């Protein structure tokens, strides 16, 4: 079945460093890849997304890259700040109508 | 716009009891879905709907029923609650543009404890 794998499960960085989270998907018909940030006790909220016809997208300190051939996509956060600490989820909209999520990455940014 | 709303915020059930989790959206989104979130497992799709009168199963549909009689509402029914259904439940909605289905907006969640 459709699957999204996400690594690492936990990531600890020093404030100001970069953080990279990687995901792979199984359904080659997937065409939309959102990233969500979830703070403790809150709902997931979209931070950036990318469609299958684009290789890279950037929004201030956040960027996402997509390699359709390898079925990989990654989230890059530069100049990390303590408020970036949260759980991050990647997801893939499949060729059907499902959205499959990765298991999440808990990011700690140490001041 | 209230966005996506869910009730109740928190519920305790005994094994075997039934209940309905309510979800409503006022954005006229045709697509709605239900997820459960368990520690270390991300969000898993339970059921989804692409429009009023149309529903389908997600990754983990067993033990849950849904219906979609209106565009706005998408209730999730637990027929006979089990401790394994203890989880946080999120409802989400999205619309479809010329590029395809757009991002989902999540409700605040319902925390369910089954004893």
């Amino acid at each position: 079945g459709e699957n999204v794998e996400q690594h690492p499960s936990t990531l600890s960085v020093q404030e100001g460093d970069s953080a990279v989270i990687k995901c792979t998907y199984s359904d080659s018909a997937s065409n939309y890849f959102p990233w969500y940030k979830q703070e403790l006790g809150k709902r997931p909220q979209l931070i950036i997304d990318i469609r299958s016809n684009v290789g890279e997208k950037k929004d201030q300190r956040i960027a996402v890259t997509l390699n359709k051939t390898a079925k990989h996509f990654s989230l890059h956060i530069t100049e990390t700040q303590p408020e970036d600490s949260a759980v991050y989820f990647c997801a893939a909209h499949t060729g059907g109508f499902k959205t499959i999520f990765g298991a999440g990455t808990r990011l700690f940014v140490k001041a | 716009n209230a966005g996506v709303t869910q009730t109740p915020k928190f519920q305790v059930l005994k094994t075997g009891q039934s209940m309905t989790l309510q979800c409503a959206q006022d954005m006229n989104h045709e697509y709605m879905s239900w997820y459960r979130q368990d520690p270390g497992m991300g969000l898993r799709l339970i059921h989804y709907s692409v429009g009023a009168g149309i529903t389908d199963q997600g990754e983990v549909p067993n033990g849950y029923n849904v219906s979609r009689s209106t565009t706005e509402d998408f209730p999730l029914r637990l027929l006979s609650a089990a401790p394994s259904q203890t989880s946080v439940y999120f409802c989400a909605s999205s619309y479809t543009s010329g590029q395809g289905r757009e991002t989902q907006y999540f409700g605040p969640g319902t925390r369910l404890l089954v004893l």
Side-chain angles (χ1 to χ4, degrees), chain A:
Chain A
E2 299 107 343
N3 186 48
V4 174
E5 293 191 1
Q6 182 172 348
H7 300 280
S9 58
T10 305
L11 180 59
S12 184
V13 299
Q14 205 68 35
E15 182 179 1
D17 287 349
S18 295
V20 180
I21 302 170
K22 298 182 178 182
C23 291
T24 60
Y25 60 98
S26 61
D27 184 0
S28 56
S30 296
N31 56 15
Y32 176 69
F33 307 90
W35 285 88
Y36 293 89
K37 176 183 181 182
Q38 187 178 31
E39 296 176 338
L40 190 62
K42 301 286 183 66
R43 73 191 81 185
Q45 295 201 301
L46 179 78
I47 55 171
I48 196 167
D49 55 10
I50 192 167
R51 292 206 175 270
S52 57
N53 57 351
V54 176
E56 185 173 357
K57 183 177 179 180
K58 190 173 182 181
D59 182 3
Q60 299 183 339
R61 297 186 297 109
I62 295 174
V64 58
T65 58
L66 171 65
N67 182 330
K68 280 181 59 180
T69 303
K71 292 192 275 189
H72 289 172
F73 59 114
S74 300
L75 177 71
H76 305 252
I77 306 174
T78 58
E79 300 170 24
T80 53
Q81 301 166 2
E83 51 265 37
D84 293 330
S85 295
V87 179
Y88 291 81
F89 292 98
C90 63
H93 285 204
T94 68
F97 292 99
K98 298 178 184 177
T99 300
I100 306 299
F101 282 77
T105 295
R106 187 173 297 276
L107 175 64
F108 297 96
V109 180
K110 295 175 287 186

Side-chain angles (χ1 to χ4, degrees), chain A residues 42-44, chain B residues 3-6 23-24 89-93 105-110:
Chain A
K42 301 286 183 66
R43 73 191 81 185
Chain B
V4 181
T5 58
Q6 291 182 239
C23 174
Y89 291 84
F90 286 100
C91 178
S93 73
Y105 295 86
F106 285 85
T110 294

